[in-house]
Amino acid sequence: RARVRHCSARPREFAFARSFGPAPSRLYRVADPSPRQPRRAPTPAASRTAFSRATPTRKMSVESLRAELMDQSLDMPRRFRALFALRSVGGDASVSALLDSLRDPSALFKHEVAFALGQMQATGAVETLKAMLRDESEHSMVRHEAAEALGAIASDECLEALETASEDSSQVVRETAVLALQRFRYAQAKRRDAQAKNARADAKAPSSPPSARPDERAGSAKEQLSASTNGHQQSLDEPDSPYISVDPVPAAPSDVPTHALRATLLDESASLWDRYGAMFALRNRGDPCDVAKALGSVLIHSDSALLKHEVCYVLGQIQEKGDGARAALRATLENQNEHPMVRHEAAEAIGSIAADDTEALLLKFRHDQDRIVAESCEVALDIMQSEISGEFVPLVVEPPRAAA
């Protein structure tokens, strides 16, 4: 994301990028006044590529990150680092760079850009995301991510495209659009309630403090690298989530007992909305080992590629090292008949968990015949290095130059 769910320090003001080349890779981070220690000791295989503590500060800018993002001659992990950093920095210039990069031929890359735009809740990306969703020549994984992003943004302009996509011929796209529509209506209702509450409130009354500090948020290295420098990007309906992500479905209410959540998650006759809500509630407050076992069972028995891909994502978030969940992820990655979207998320989850056998497994599939899977394993190997090393050095994102 046996390792329990960790809440490693993640101050809001941190931005990230990474330098690649013949020398060992280095991870860049804004200086922390109390530097963290690595979360785990490197394995013998990983120690050969551990990051150096002696790396100097590197100045970056949105313009330089944009150049790396757009450069198709660079390897995918390096371009993903630029993508993560732009998502972290945010702002119109970052959104513009991400939108321009969508001309890329890689379905994996375009899917990740769409995901980032949704997590940033970038309203300026709505028209482009709608066009991606409507384009039946796009890979279903890309169209799925465009629909999910529109659901995360949940502005009025998103509604018509989602309604149309809810009847799409692709099951993955159709199921995503149905969930996104439900989230849209849920978010709209929450916003109306919040506006009514604010209208009644005394303008001079002090506001309530946030329920969780940003440096207490949990999540994998990938999420930490992408976290907003302008404040935690969190779903309106998830104020108490310990995780960084804007989820496609709100977690089930806190008064639902754990055993009922688990039953709903495993119930193949239950709606995807209810199963997603149960899964996120279990992720937020369940025992990681028990949650991972239940999620592993879903991977084995569910017929929904959409649900299984989200299960893999959550397993990458909680990063539980138990054998059962890892075996299910491995079987998913190895299954050539599985939807590439599911195999992609399985690869990244395996990288986030960073168990002793991770490197060999990902190297095995780095040249998979499916380009999405092969590129996912490249990125997952890089995520694994971040998880194993935990070595950070300063990054300074330079302000834009003033016009002459």
Side-chain angles (χ1 to χ4, degrees):
R1 186 84 35 248
R3 192 175 96 175
V4 298
R5 181 178 70 193
H6 71 279
C7 297
S8 52
R10 271 201 0 78
R12 290 180 180 175
E13 63 271 20
F14 288 178
F16 305 84
R18 185 170 181 178
S19 172
F20 292 82
S25 299
R26 301 185 297 273
L27 191 61
Y28 292 91
R29 184 177 185 176
V30 175
D32 188 337
S34 56
R36 298 183 298 163
Q37 295 299 314
R39 291 192 289 274
R40 61 171 77 79
T43 61
S47 65
R48 295 193 297 269
T49 53
F51 306 137
S52 168
R53 287 182 181 273
T55 308
T57 299
R58 178 187 178 196
K59 290 188 177 182
M60 298 291 292
S61 67
V62 171
E63 290 78 11
S64 61
L65 291 170
R66 179 192 184 104
E68 291 200 355
L69 183 77
M70 301 289 289
D71 189 348
Q72 296 181 24
S73 69
L74 299 178
D75 60 36
M76 195 60 71
R78 180 167 175 175
R79 297 179 69 204
F80 264 53
R81 289 292 177 139
L83 192 164
F84 297 157
L86 287 166
R87 173 183 161 189
S88 172
V89 173
D92 291 344
S94 292
V95 171
S96 175
L98 291 170
L99 290 173
D100 287 347
S101 73
L102 285 169
R103 293 188 287 269
D104 198 274
S106 167
L108 178 71
F109 184 82
K110 287 188 286 189
H111 137 281
E112 194 69 29
V113 171
F115 174 75
L117 291 167
Q119 293 293 297
M120 295 165 75
Q121 296 179 307
T123 54
V126 167
E127 291 305 315
T128 300
L129 291 168
K130 286 163 61 177
M132 290 173 64
L133 176 56
R134 288 193 297 262
D135 186 355
E136 294 186 0
S137 68
E138 284 282 12
H139 194 285
S140 60
M141 183 173 81
V142 178
R143 298 179 66 213
H144 140 78
E145 207 62 63
E148 189 169 288
L150 291 170
I153 295 168
S155 64
D156 291 341
E157 297 78 12
C158 303
L159 180 59
E160 184 178 354
L162 290 174
E163 287 177 335
T164 301
S166 68
E167 299 178 357
D168 197 86
S169 59
S170 165
Q171 180 180 348
V172 164
V173 174
R174 184 172 63 252
E175 289 180 345
T176 305
V178 168
L179 286 179
L181 275 172
Q182 290 176 281
R183 189 191 184 281
F184 172 90
R185 291 165 182 142
Y186 183 91
Q188 293 281 7
K190 294 291 265 186
R191 287 170 184 162
R192 287 194 297 271
D193 290 346
Q195 290 168 356
K197 182 178 179 181
N198 290 339
R200 293 191 301 267
D202 183 354
K204 295 182 179 180
S207 60
S208 301
S211 59
R213 289 168 51 84
D215 59 356
E216 293 171 347
R217 297 287 174 185
S220 66
K222 173 182 174 180
E223 291 182 309
Q224 293 176 30
L225 290 169
S226 305
S228 172
T229 63
N230 301 315
H232 174 63
Q233 304 239 338
Q234 189 179 12
S235 174
L236 178 69
D237 44 276
E238 291 287 2
D240 298 317
S241 171
Y243 287 90
I244 299 160
S245 55
V246 178
D247 297 327
V249 171
S254 58
D255 59 351
V256 180
T258 300
H259 68 85
L261 294 172
R262 189 178 188 279
T264 299
L265 173 63
L266 298 175
D267 184 358
E268 286 291 311
S269 67
S271 70
L272 283 177
W273 177 266
D274 290 340
R275 298 181 78 184
Y276 267 56
M279 175 171 61
F280 291 130
L282 286 169
R283 177 203 63 185
N284 292 349
R285 56 189 172 92
D287 174 75
C289 184
D290 291 341
V291 173
K293 288 178 181 177
L295 294 175
S297 178
V298 174
L299 272 184
I300 294 170
H301 297 108
S302 179
D303 293 327
S304 171
L306 185 67
L307 177 61
K308 288 189 286 187
H309 112 285
E310 198 70 28
V311 163
C312 292
Y313 181 83
V314 171
L315 284 170
Q317 286 185 306
I318 65 176
Q319 298 172 300
E320 171 59 44
K321 282 192 169 183
D323 290 341
R326 283 174 46 231
L329 285 169
R330 182 181 187 122
T332 300
L333 178 58
E334 291 175 339
N335 184 0
Q336 302 284 340
N337 295 321
E338 184 58 86
H339 196 291
M341 178 175 76
V342 184
R343 297 181 69 204
H344 142 71
E345 288 292 358
E348 290 201 357
I350 289 166
S352 293
I353 294 170
D356 291 345
D357 62 347
T358 293
E359 185 173 23
L361 178 60
L362 293 175
L363 286 172
K364 176 182 177 182
F365 289 95
R366 188 171 62 175
H367 301 292
D368 193 86
Q369 62 182 4
D370 190 306
R371 179 177 175 178
I372 290 172
V373 175
E375 290 177 344
S376 297
C377 288
E378 275 191 77
V379 173
L381 283 163
D382 184 54
I383 293 170
M384 178 198 73
Q385 297 291 348
S386 301
E387 294 289 352
I388 290 173
S389 173
E391 299 287 352
F392 296 95
V393 294
L395 164 70
V396 176
V397 178
E398 296 178 320
R401 292 188 180 92

